[in-house]
Amino acid sequence: MLEILNRINAVLWGPPSLILLAGTGLFLTFQLKGLQFSKLWYAFRLAFTKDKEDAGAEGDVSNFKALMTSLAGMIGNGNIAGVATAITLGGPGALFWMWLVGLVGMATKYAEALLAQIYRVKNDYGEYSSGPMYYIERGIGPKFKWLAVLFAFFAAFAALGIGNGVQSNTIADVMDNSFFVPGWVTGVILVILTGLIVFGGIKRISSVAGVFVPVMAILYIGSSILILILNYDQIIPAFELIFKHAFTPVSAAGGFSGIVVAQAMQHGVSKGVFSNEAGLGTVALIAGNARTTHPVKQALVAMTGTFIVTIVVCTMTGLVLIVTGFWDASGGLLSGVEHDPGLEAGALTSAAFGASLGVVGEYIVSISVIFFGFSTIIAWYVYGTKCFEYLFGLRYVAVYGVIYITATFLGTVMDLSTVWAFADTANALMMIPNLIGLLFLYKVIRTETQKFFANPVERINM
């Protein structure tokens, strides 16, 4: 199974998909005149300050809670295990390609959230439903419903992997290694906790995310900054390695075969997408629930999530791995810091933290993995159910809930490498229909944005 998935991923994440992903981000950046850079400060103001006008607008949750739910889905083990996997398989240069896909991906994320607000609908429960399937069908036209169905099917399926199986698998691995808790016990605990939260609906999920995400981020980022301070003399050399190996191969050493530039690009881009989800369309599945007086406002708020995840959280993980020497897949022959070459994913990041902060550092990573992973599980439940609702209607959403919770348990006893490979496959399959939809609707994105910023009142508020 693993060999088959790896072959599929080699095709799905080959040059055509990477060109489509990066090309869409660059195209939208051009159409929006670099909005992710020129309006970034305004976007953060919208995200973290209360807007009295938005409080009375149509929607189910606040802009902030919508962002926190989205971040709960993004700030997961892709930022810990995913970054470590990208750097060990693609070298330090992989972090550069993660930055690049994150920066252009901010325009993509903006576009997804904007269209989510424009084409959202109310379901029979009085809650808003949104996502790529709605803006593909309602925006491009009914003739493209097949493309909308493909996205919804792939996304509902992907939620069981990237949002669930990968997370529960990594949590179980950490619980076993750090706290000696058997995988099946972790599975039972996750099933109970997940069930209690997800069956409370979007408002309970967003409330939990609004508490979880800030606490998790502060703990993890604060610890990372402390490690960088302790290893301050390695920060500049770390950046030199990142930029050097983004364009030149990593040399072979001992039994280590080296890393070519193509590997740095592939792993940096694929794991970058896995961590910030730009291009996958997931933010559109929650952005439509936000209360806002204008779609552009929520789109700007959603855009900040990609910056926080990629430029801040992923960078912290990557720099910690590099300054401590734990990026080296040869076990230290290249970095000069000897370590177990068999370490991978979250275990490698934990070892890097432990090298500077001792056992406290290892426990910080372990706790972060557990809470990051759990928040991702509950956020992706929202995504999966939105897609399942589109495909089969509200009547059968409870069926998906049972499937989802079952997958949570199964993920704790599956092989890690197979789960990661499956997650990469699912990402690509939901990304392609979404990007096609964005390209078809670029005129709507551009026009709505221009109208908003042409309004004198909005310019004053900025």
Side-chain angles (χ1 to χ4, degrees), residues 359-416:
V359 68
V360 173
E362 294 182 10
Y363 279 118
I364 287 173
V365 174
S366 297
I367 293 170
S368 297
V369 165
I370 293 167
F371 282 95
F372 279 12
F374 182 65
S375 68
T376 301
I377 289 172
I378 62 173
W380 269 83
Y381 171 78
V382 175
Y383 304 157
T385 52
K386 295 277 188 180
C387 295
F388 204 79
E389 174 191 333
Y390 177 82
L391 293 171
F392 303 106
L394 279 171
R395 181 184 302 179
Y396 298 102
V397 165
V399 174
Y400 186 80
V402 173
I403 295 172
Y404 193 85
I405 290 178
T406 302
T408 304
F409 178 81
L410 293 178
T412 61
V413 294
M414 291 177 66
D415 177 65
L416 181 64

Side-chain angles (χ1 to χ4, degrees), residues 67-69 71-73 75 208-218 372 375:
L67 174 62
M68 290 302 106
T69 305
L71 281 174
I75 302 183
V208 172
V211 175
F212 260 47
V213 172
V215 173
M216 291 187 310
I218 291 171
F372 279 12
S375 68

Side-chain angles (χ1 to χ4, degrees), residues 278-292:
L280 298 187
T282 53
V283 73
L285 295 165
I286 186 65
N289 291 95
R291 290 191 296 268
T292 184

Side-chain angles (χ1 to χ4, degrees), residues 197-208:
I197 294 173
V198 301
F199 287 123
I202 181 65
K203 292 183 179 179
R204 181 182 296 177
I205 292 171
S206 64
S207 295
V208 172

Side-chain angles (χ1 to χ4, degrees), residues 133 147-157 384 386-388 390-391 433:
M133 55 279 194
L147 190 64
V149 169
L150 280 179
F151 172 84
F153 175 78
F154 290 143
F157 196 61
K386 295 277 188 180
C387 295
F388 204 79
Y390 177 82
L391 293 171

Side-chain angles (χ1 to χ4, degrees), residues 161-186:
I162 177 179
N164 196 335
V166 165
Q167 310 302 328
S168 62
N169 185 284
T170 307
I171 291 171
D173 187 49
V174 168
M175 289 291 288
D176 186 22
N177 292 332
S178 299
F179 305 104
F180 309 105
V181 177
W184 70 268
V185 174
T186 299

